[in-house]
Amino acid sequence: DQQVKQNSPSLSVQEGRISILNCDYTNSMFDYFLWYKKYPAEGPTFLISISSIKDKNEDGRFTVFLNKSAKHLSLHIVPSQPGDSAVYFCAASLTGNTPLVFGKGTRLSVIA
Amino acid sequence: ETGVTQTPRHLVMGMTNKKSLKCEQHLGHNAMYWYKQSAKKPLELMFVYNFKEQTENNSVPSRFSPECPNSSHLFLHLHTLQPEDSALYLCASSHAGGHEQYFGPGTRLTVT
């Protein structure tokens, strides 16, 4: 049973607009969440993370929001750029050096 | 070189072959991971090593045999694989106790 779910396999957004990628999780013990970006023929690249003690973390055009009561997090990219077109993976982990649990990914296409 | 490197980038092997995948990290990390990514599935954790000791084996068949001679190098030895083992194999590293993992570009394996 999947503990981290990304229910939208794909998303298309126009350049300059906001991209919102969503992720849901089932394990309330997760305390750290990460977003990775993956281009074809490359490994995933760490993008941004958030601890469960926060509800928002911002880094440039990227903001991650965490809603613990809903077990939901989202990644906002604004403004979206064509170079943002990639597959985005949500991941979660428990306290300490525990393995990451990944979602299936959402393919974002930013259209010029 | 910097980051996490993997060789070979592509590998085609028959079911009776023996081959090895290599991963090297230049980030000073002391935890290393093998993941498998099959089409339309989340990244699946295979093995975890902390300070050269295997700390997790995620029910991986014995035809996959990991080796971690030191904190910078990780191998995955392959023997009598099945066609369903065809996938992208990703290596990652992190600080022990750290959440952020850094991935290599992966080895695209095809078993014929």
Side-chain angles (χ1 to χ4, degrees), chain A residues 32 36 41 43 49 93 97 99, chain B residues 9 33 45 50 97 99-101 104:
Chain A
Y32 203 85
Y36 283 82
S49 61
S93 73
N97 189 22
Chain B
R9 294 293 308 273
Y33 312 79
L45 178 72
N50 281 285
H99 292 281
E100 288 90 6
Q101 294 178 20

Side-chain angles (χ1 to χ4, degrees), chain A residues 38 41-44, chain B residues 1-11 20-26 32-37 43 46 72-76 78 87-93 102-109:
Chain A
K38 186 179 183 302
E42 294 183 15
Chain B
E1 288 204 61
T2 58
V4 182
T5 58
Q6 288 187 244
T7 54
R9 294 293 308 273
H10 300 271
L11 177 62
S20 295
L21 309 184
K22 179 183 175 182
C23 175
E24 186 172 358
Q25 60 94 3
H26 307 269
M32 296 188 78
Y33 312 79
W34 279 116
Y35 287 88
K36 175 184 178 182
Q37 186 179 25
L43 271 73
M46 299 176 74
S72 299
H73 293 86
L74 185 65
F75 295 90
L76 187 62
L78 315 172
L88 180 68
Y89 288 85
L90 290 159
C91 172
S93 70
Y102 294 83
F103 285 82
T107 295
R108 173 68 62 187
L109 173 68

Side-chain angles (χ1 to χ4, degrees), chain A residues 97-98, chain B residues 30-33 48-56 68 71 94-98:
Chain A
N97 189 22
T98 59
Chain B
N30 35 43
M32 296 188 78
Y33 312 79
V48 181
Y49 278 82
N50 281 285
F51 297 98
K52 303 187 297 178
E53 299 296 320
Q54 188 181 125
T55 54
E56 183 128 359
C68 188
S71 292
S94 73
H95 291 295

Side-chain angles (χ1 to χ4, degrees), chain A:
Chain A
D1 193 27
Q2 270 199 273
Q3 296 187 70
V4 177
K5 300 177 185 177
Q6 293 177 258
N7 292 319
S8 298
S10 62
L11 174 69
S12 288
V13 171
Q14 236 175 344
E15 181 179 7
R17 305 294 288 265
I18 185 170
S19 296
I20 300 176
L21 297 107
N22 293 304
C23 178
D24 296 294
Y25 61 95
T26 57
N27 189 342
S28 57
M29 300 300 290
F30 285 140
D31 69 349
Y32 203 85
F33 304 89
L34 307 92
W35 284 96
Y36 283 82
K37 174 180 178 180
K38 186 179 183 302
Y39 292 119
E42 294 183 15
T45 302
F46 169 70
L47 195 56
I48 192 169
S49 61
I50 188 166
S51 163
S52 61
I53 62 172
K54 295 186 174 182
D55 55 18
K56 177 182 173 181
N57 188 25
E58 192 171 349
D59 183 3
R61 296 185 298 115
F62 302 91
T63 303
V64 56
F65 294 92
L66 176 62
N67 182 334
K68 288 187 289 293
S69 60
K71 296 194 186 74
H72 176 84
L73 66 154
S74 60
L75 174 68
H76 293 212
I77 307 173
V78 56
S80 301
Q81 299 173 354
D84 296 328
S85 298
V87 177
Y88 289 79
F89 291 96
C90 170
S93 73
L94 304 169
T95 303
N97 189 22
T98 59
L100 297 177
V101 180
F102 284 85
K104 287 186 179 181
T106 297
R107 181 177 301 280
L108 173 67
S109 300
V110 179
I111 305 159

